[in-house]
Amino acid sequence: MIAKKSENILLIILRYFREGKCLEAMSCLKRIFSGKEQSLLGLDIEQTLKQLRLENDSEACKKLNDNARLSHPGWVDLLCNLLLYYVERERGSANVIDHFENLFKNTKWLLDEQRSQIYQFLCKQVVTEQYKIVQIMKRKAKDSEAVKRASHAQETLESKSLQIFQEMGREVNIKNMQKLKLLNANQQMKIYFKGFKFDRAADCDKVEKEQNLLLTSPKQDQITYHYYKGRILIFHSKFVDASQHLTQVLQECPRTQKGISCARQVLKYLIPINMFMGRYPKKELIEQFKEYDLLCTSVKQGNIAGLQEAIDKYRSIWIKRSLLILMDQLKVLCYRNLCRKVWLINQKVNKIHLNQFQKAFRISHPLNSNPTISEVCCIIANLIYLQLIQGQIYLNNAKEIYAITLSQDPFKNRPHEINWQN
């Protein structure tokens, strides 16, 4: 079918739908969702909706083979809801929320092998549109009250989106459409992550509950799952498992512009957790992620002041990436590396006075230029408790000096082997 440029794009999409040309239809839908079809704003809505229904009931449509046109009355309802939603979205109207729900909620009929491509496309649009609505509302807000309404709309849309996916999920389970289960779970995790509700994101992990779900799902959904699973494991301080999931995502990223963008996103989290396993990024990688330059150097050298400077300098970045707590754990790793340097300087002896560590802490942390022995004891005791140092603190009563007795290989435990939950 050759479409005329002046023809209403909704009629074109309807014809694509009934002819079973899903890829062409999705291409047109993408243009609408991206805001490239401003001509829709000038349409007479009632007249256009009437025209869509007449087109679907036309003689030309009835003559088409049912198998070819994938006939269903839902196509017209979908396009009608899309038009109403698009107009309200572009106006920045608060009424858009109801149209958002109508557009994405009434899609159960798409759960069919022949129509599942459209279903998957709309699934992925839910979260994107959720944030696009708020951006447009804020941009078109003329007073502080309008800005408040936009912020409130974000919470409402998040709740509506979750309801949509939960309802879709129930329908997917009823029809046992295995390849759509992981997609549904991924989109819910995406909403929780964007809303900083990481504890609830873990509840969406369906893979551990259902055998072979990961293997039977599309490759793209598998990659998305591994990314979110890795992020969840970081919050549980399970750095080895998190590294495995994120590394798998990195390996699976295609060598395309989108794949490279995906790889960069993964590396933002993979670089810091790999430090717990003694893996520090190479110079070529650091040049692409300048925020990790001072951070990695400081942790490796046991430079407490340098680490704190890196944390403070890029604090807004760590907060945005939800990595601020991880930065505090890197401090523990930094102290461990500093203590190891003291041990090496003392030629790996098994007894070291704590004033040796006190001097090292003083040099490494200029802001706390005179740490007390009590502070040093506290830090080292915590490192021993976390099994980052194998040793025992004792008091030499004769000289009233605190010292530490070290095992033969006191730093043999890697930080990633520690139960950070302690």
Side-chain angles (χ1 to χ4, degrees):
M1 182 194 75
I2 299 173
K4 298 175 184 178
K5 287 189 177 179
S6 59
E7 195 171 12
N8 184 337
I9 191 170
L10 295 174
L11 291 174
I12 296 170
I13 295 172
L14 180 59
R15 289 172 197 164
Y16 282 144
F17 279 154
R18 73 187 191 197
E19 291 171 13
K21 296 179 179 178
C22 289
L23 293 177
E24 291 87 344
M26 283 192 290
S27 178
C28 294
L29 288 171
K30 284 177 185 176
R31 285 186 58 81
I32 294 175
F33 281 118
S34 63
K36 293 179 181 177
E37 290 294 335
Q38 293 293 308
S39 59
L40 291 176
L41 298 176
L43 295 176
D44 182 313
I45 295 178
E46 288 188 13
Q47 186 64 31
T48 305
L49 298 181
K50 184 178 179 182
Q51 193 178 3
L52 282 168
R53 292 188 176 97
L54 286 172
E55 175 68 22
N56 197 53
D57 296 332
S58 67
E59 288 300 320
C61 180
K62 290 176 181 177
K63 287 178 182 178
L64 286 169
N65 183 284
D66 280 346
N67 292 329
R69 69 186 277 252
L70 304 177
S71 179
H72 196 286
W75 292 128
V76 175
D77 292 334
L78 175 64
L79 292 173
C80 290
N81 288 329
L82 175 60
L83 176 61
L84 294 168
Y85 164 74
Y86 180 79
V87 170
E88 294 298 327
R89 189 194 78 176
E90 293 302 302
R91 288 175 181 167
S93 167
N95 295 331
V96 70
I97 296 173
D98 293 330
H99 294 296
F100 170 85
E101 187 175 17
N102 290 336
L103 173 61
F104 292 109
K105 200 170 186 179
N106 301 319
T107 53
K108 295 177 186 177
W109 60 276
L110 288 169
L111 289 171
D112 178 275
E113 286 299 326
Q114 293 177 311
R115 296 186 282 262
S116 63
Q117 279 183 302
I118 302 295
Y119 174 83
Q120 291 176 60
F121 170 78
L122 290 173
C123 256
K124 292 172 184 177
Q125 286 297 131
V126 172
V127 184
T128 306
E129 289 301 307
Q130 174 187 319
Y131 288 93
K132 192 175 287 184
I133 289 168
V134 177
Q135 286 173 359
I136 294 173
M137 287 181 74
K138 286 181 177 179
R139 190 172 69 240
K140 300 211 171 185
K142 295 180 180 179
D143 51 46
S144 58
E145 285 299 316
V147 174
K148 285 180 182 177
R149 282 197 297 271
S151 299
H152 178 69
Q154 186 166 343
E155 295 176 13
T156 307
L157 285 164
E158 183 182 301
S159 176
K160 296 280 186 188
S161 298
L162 287 169
Q163 288 175 15
I164 288 167
F165 282 118
Q166 285 161 6
E167 194 168 318
M168 285 179 175
R170 284 192 290 270
E171 199 67 24
V172 165
N173 286 330
I174 291 169
K175 296 192 176 182
N176 197 28
M177 298 190 73
Q178 197 78 356
K179 68 178 183 180
L180 296 178
K181 289 182 180 180
L182 193 58
L183 169 65
N184 190 283
N186 285 341
Q187 294 304 308
Q188 289 185 64
M189 284 195 283
K190 188 175 182 179
I191 294 170
Y192 286 130
F193 266 93
K194 283 189 173 287
F196 297 97
K197 297 174 181 176
F198 311 113
D199 54 331
R200 296 189 67 185
D203 296 335
C204 300
D205 184 3
K206 309 289 184 185
V207 173
E208 292 177 356
K209 298 175 184 176
E210 294 190 43
Q211 291 183 340
N212 300 322
L213 178 56
L214 187 60
L215 297 175
T216 55
S217 300
K219 197 70 175 176
Q220 188 177 357
D221 294 333
Q222 291 180 36
I223 293 170
T224 305
Y225 165 77
H226 283 299
Y227 170 73
Y228 286 122
K229 182 65 176 179
R231 293 280 308 276
I232 290 168
L233 289 167
I234 290 174
F235 290 107
H236 292 292
S237 301
K238 296 179 179 178
F239 302 127
V240 177
D241 294 337
S243 178
Q244 288 173 352
H245 282 277
L246 293 176
T247 301
Q248 186 162 349
V249 176
L250 197 62
Q251 291 170 346
E252 297 285 353
C253 284
R255 298 296 182 263
T256 60
Q257 189 173 355
K258 189 176 180 180
I260 291 168
S261 176
C262 174
R264 286 185 61 83
Q265 180 67 15
V266 171
L267 285 167
K268 290 174 185 177
Y269 299 94
L270 195 55
I271 289 172
I273 64 172
N274 274 350
M275 282 195 276
F276 286 98
M277 287 166 277
R279 300 176 196 158
Y280 294 89
K282 293 182 180 179
K283 185 179 178 181
E284 296 80 11
L285 193 56
I286 285 293
E287 287 175 357
Q288 298 179 50
F289 298 92
K290 298 289 186 184
E291 66 271 25
Y292 286 113
D293 190 0
L294 180 59
L295 188 83
C296 293
T297 305
S298 300
V299 171
K300 198 172 183 179
Q301 294 175 348
N303 182 354
I304 307 298
L307 175 60
Q308 190 60 53
E309 182 186 341
I311 293 172
D312 293 339
K313 186 177 180 181
Y314 298 104
R315 183 172 290 272
S316 59
I317 291 177
W318 310 136
I319 291 171
K320 187 177 179 181
R321 296 178 189 171
S322 309
L323 288 175
L324 196 57
I325 294 175
L326 185 68
M327 295 300 121
D328 283 331
Q329 290 174 310
L330 283 174
K331 284 184 184 178
V332 177
L333 178 58
C334 196
Y335 274 115
R336 179 255 188 197
N337 291 344
L338 179 58
C339 291
R340 187 173 184 275
K341 281 196 168 186
V342 174
W343 177 62
L344 293 173
I345 290 169
N346 283 275
Q347 299 179 350
K348 300 183 179 181
V349 296
N350 66 343
K351 287 185 180 180
I352 304 174
H353 289 164
L354 290 195
N355 59 9
Q356 295 286 321
F357 294 98
Q358 187 181 24
K359 290 175 185 176
F361 289 1
R362 186 180 298 139
I363 295 167
S364 179
H365 204 327
L367 294 177
N368 186 10
S369 57
N370 191 26
T372 64
I373 284 295
S374 296
E375 288 175 316
V376 175
C377 275
C378 180
I379 291 168
I380 293 178
N382 273 283
L383 293 173
I384 291 171
Y385 179 71
L386 289 170
Q387 300 175 20
L388 289 170
I389 298 178
Q390 301 292 324
Q392 187 175 355
I393 297 173
Y394 72 96
L395 174 63
N396 186 326
N397 291 322
K399 297 182 179 179
E400 294 188 350
I401 294 174
Y402 281 98
I404 183 170
T405 304
L406 298 169
S407 64
Q408 190 174 358
D409 189 3
F411 297 92
K412 66 178 181 178
N413 281 354
R414 288 284 185 184
H416 68 269
E417 297 170 349
I418 307 308
N419 181 6
W420 292 88
Q421 299 285 350
N422 290 336

